[in-house]
Amino acid sequence: MRIEAFGEPTGQGWAQIAYLAIALGLSLCIGAEREAQQKSAGIRTYPLVGVGAALFMLVSKYGFTDVLGDHVSLDPSRVAAQIVTGVGFIGGGLIFVRRDMVRGLTTAASVWLTAAIGASAGAGLVVLATATTAMYFVVLYALHPVGRVVSAIRPTATGLRVTYLDRIGVLREVLNVITARGFLIAELSTARAPDADHSEHDHRRDRELGQPQDHSVQVTVELAGRGDREALAAALSEV
């Protein structure tokens, strides 16, 4: 089946339908894997992205042949280039940021990759589209053991809480001990600690008498590093 208009191919043949079907099949494989992982985008989103990108590519190739002439030039890459921008909005909606945790990056990247696979299929680059789909599964599964090894050797985070009396200048010495033991300070916060030995009535009496009030301070530190945590705790206890 091939439709011609004024001698120009319209790109509505069996070959183009086959390209759409290939884009559907390849993106469906990725969508099924994401659905199995119970991700927000799954078996329906990915085929829509892949087939949509393939159709945009076909429109870019054949959709303007009827306006070609001596004074009209055609750049088939212009419509295809907008696929990357358009899919970026979908990927951005899949990324969630909560405090210092970012989720959905892999899903957003896979949607972006699916659009590229669909565009490749629509352009007739079936071998490249199929190879890229295979590489997707290689990255997600064959490299998973490598990720576990990297996580094992990566410096782990350690939480530490130090309580001391205020106005005795201990904090600087505590920080010096921490860094000297091979740790990096990722986050630090201070707060007044509840004093069980000194009631609010005692604090009020001290204020009325003009006596100095010694409060306990709690310093919570998040450390990064692979130093000896027991040795660090012992050194801070001496301080």
Side-chain angles (χ1 to χ4, degrees):
M1 180 180 65
R2 189 175 185 83
I3 303 175
E4 301 247 348
F6 303 105
E8 295 290 342
T10 62
Q12 299 186 85
W14 290 112
Q16 288 74 33
I17 295 176
Y19 294 154
L20 291 176
I22 293 171
L24 173 64
L26 295 177
S27 57
L28 187 60
C29 294
I30 298 177
E33 186 276 331
R34 293 282 89 186
E35 186 80 18
Q37 298 296 328
Q38 299 181 348
K39 300 300 180 179
S40 54
I43 202 168
R44 289 178 295 183
T45 303
Y46 285 87
L48 291 176
V49 171
V51 174
L55 182 59
F56 275 121
M57 180 62 72
L58 291 172
V59 170
S60 182
K61 291 175 63 176
Y62 302 104
F64 308 100
T65 55
D66 57 333
V67 299
L68 291 177
D70 296 335
H71 303 288
V72 178
S73 60
L74 175 64
D75 182 8
S77 65
R78 293 187 63 183
V79 175
Q82 303 307 312
I83 298 175
V84 179
T85 305
V87 174
F89 286 100
I90 301 177
L94 297 171
I95 300 174
F96 298 93
V97 180
R98 184 177 180 182
R99 297 186 64 182
D100 58 343
M101 298 181 62
V102 181
R103 297 185 179 277
L105 283 176
T106 303
T107 301
S110 60
V111 169
W112 181 70
L113 180 67
T114 302
I117 292 173
S120 300
L125 306 175
V126 178
V127 175
L128 292 181
T130 305
T132 304
T133 305
M135 292 178 185
Y136 167 83
F137 289 98
V138 169
V139 170
L140 255 64
Y141 291 100
L143 297 183
H144 191 63
V146 178
R148 288 200 300 265
V149 172
V150 173
S151 298
I153 63 177
R154 185 174 55 189
T156 56
T158 302
L160 181 69
R161 180 173 296 162
V162 180
T163 304
Y164 62 91
L165 288 177
D166 197 9
R167 298 203 307 267
I168 59 176
V170 173
L171 180 57
R172 178 175 297 180
E173 189 173 354
V174 167
L175 299 180
N176 290 335
V177 171
I178 291 174
T179 54
R181 294 283 174 173
F183 290 93
L184 297 177
I185 300 174
E187 187 175 349
L188 185 146
S189 62
T190 60
R192 176 178 171 180
D195 195 344
D197 298 332
H198 213 55
S199 65
E200 185 62 30
H201 174 73
D202 295 331
H203 287 302
R204 190 181 305 112
R205 184 191 59 191
D206 292 342
R207 287 194 297 268
E208 292 174 353
L209 296 176
Q211 296 179 355
Q213 303 177 46
D214 292 330
H215 302 299
S216 296
V217 178
Q218 274 189 354
V219 178
T220 303
V221 187
E222 185 173 338
L223 309 176
R226 303 191 63 83
D228 190 340
R229 287 174 286 183
E230 294 183 359
L232 174 63
L236 291 176
S237 299
E238 293 178 3
V239 173

